[in-house]
Amino acid sequence: GHGNPTKHRPELILNNFSTRLGHRVGRLLATMWPIDPQFRGRRVVTFHNQRDFVFFRHHRYIFESREDGKGAKEHKGHLAKPDDAPRLPKDQKRKLKKKLEKEKKPEAETKVQARLQELGPRFTLRLLSLQRGTFDSKGGEYEWVKASGTQPTRKRFAL
């Protein structure tokens, strides 16, 4: 489910704003958030650009350490044999024992994992135009306008 956001200022992640226009839009989006995040709150705001769509997500993260039990089991199955199985000579037993010790994995290791909890809201944006200076619908100077009537291409992106 969705969690409740805290009062801490979030970290800001701008992902994949690589073109000149993308840098400009990323900078514009970054000005809406405080400059100095409070990392103690573990809040993250992400703007992700993909195929000229900007996806917004708001998460809280937590680091957890858990023990991984995969290495805890020993390979004793190789030594198990029925009572009527032939006995091995001592030198072969030593070789087998050394081989098994090399294969033995360490006991349970602790792994650190990051988990995310979505805080919401989430939305998607698409840039239609970018105006220089203050907003003026009649006499404003446009830096960039989405080309209308052209077929969208899969290879060229503006942001």
Side-chain angles (χ1 to χ4, degrees):
H2 292 284
N4 295 323
T6 61
K7 301 272 186 206
H8 296 93
R9 292 185 297 274
E11 298 175 59
L12 181 65
I13 297 175
L14 297 171
N15 190 17
N16 205 18
F17 290 90
S18 53
T19 64
R20 185 174 177 189
L21 181 64
H23 284 281
R24 181 104 162 95
V25 170
R27 182 86 174 136
L28 178 89
L29 293 171
T31 60
M32 296 189 297
W33 298 92
I35 297 170
D36 54 339
Q38 294 174 323
F39 297 106
R40 175 169 258 170
R42 301 185 319 267
R43 282 177 57 191
V44 177
V45 169
T46 305
F47 287 98
H48 174 73
N49 175 33
Q50 185 174 350
R51 301 180 65 87
D52 284 347
F53 287 92
V54 178
F55 297 94
F56 173 84
R57 298 293 184 268
H58 186 190
H59 291 94
R60 180 175 29 229
Y61 62 87
I62 187 168
F63 293 111
E64 288 183 336
S65 61
R66 69 175 184 92
E67 291 197 10
D68 187 18
K70 292 180 181 176
K73 295 180 182 177
E74 294 182 19
H75 299 287
K76 292 187 177 177
H78 298 309
L79 295 176
K81 57 183 187 255
D83 290 336
D84 60 335
R87 295 186 179 254
L88 295 172
K90 284 186 181 182
D91 60 332
Q92 282 185 343
K93 275 186 185 179
R94 270 190 241 125
K95 285 180 185 177
L96 184 59
K97 209 175 208 181
K98 283 182 183 178
K99 184 179 176 184
L100 288 175
E101 285 175 1
K102 285 181 184 177
E103 289 179 7
K104 188 186 274 190
K105 294 182 181 175
E107 294 298 318
E109 299 174 3
T110 56
K111 288 188 177 182
V112 177
Q113 288 185 324
R115 285 190 336 164
L116 292 177
Q117 180 183 29
E118 190 167 350
L119 299 177
R122 65 160 81 171
F123 52 86
T124 306
L125 304 169
R126 183 147 196 202
L127 186 66
L128 297 179
S129 65
L130 184 64
Q131 228 181 44
R132 182 168 288 153
T134 56
F135 179 72
D136 183 8
S137 60
K138 293 181 182 172
E141 183 184 349
Y142 287 91
E143 280 187 44
W144 182 83
V145 178
K146 181 180 177 295
S148 60
T150 60
Q151 292 291 331
T153 64
R154 290 178 161 240
K155 295 181 182 175
R156 195 173 344 134
F157 302 108
L159 295 178

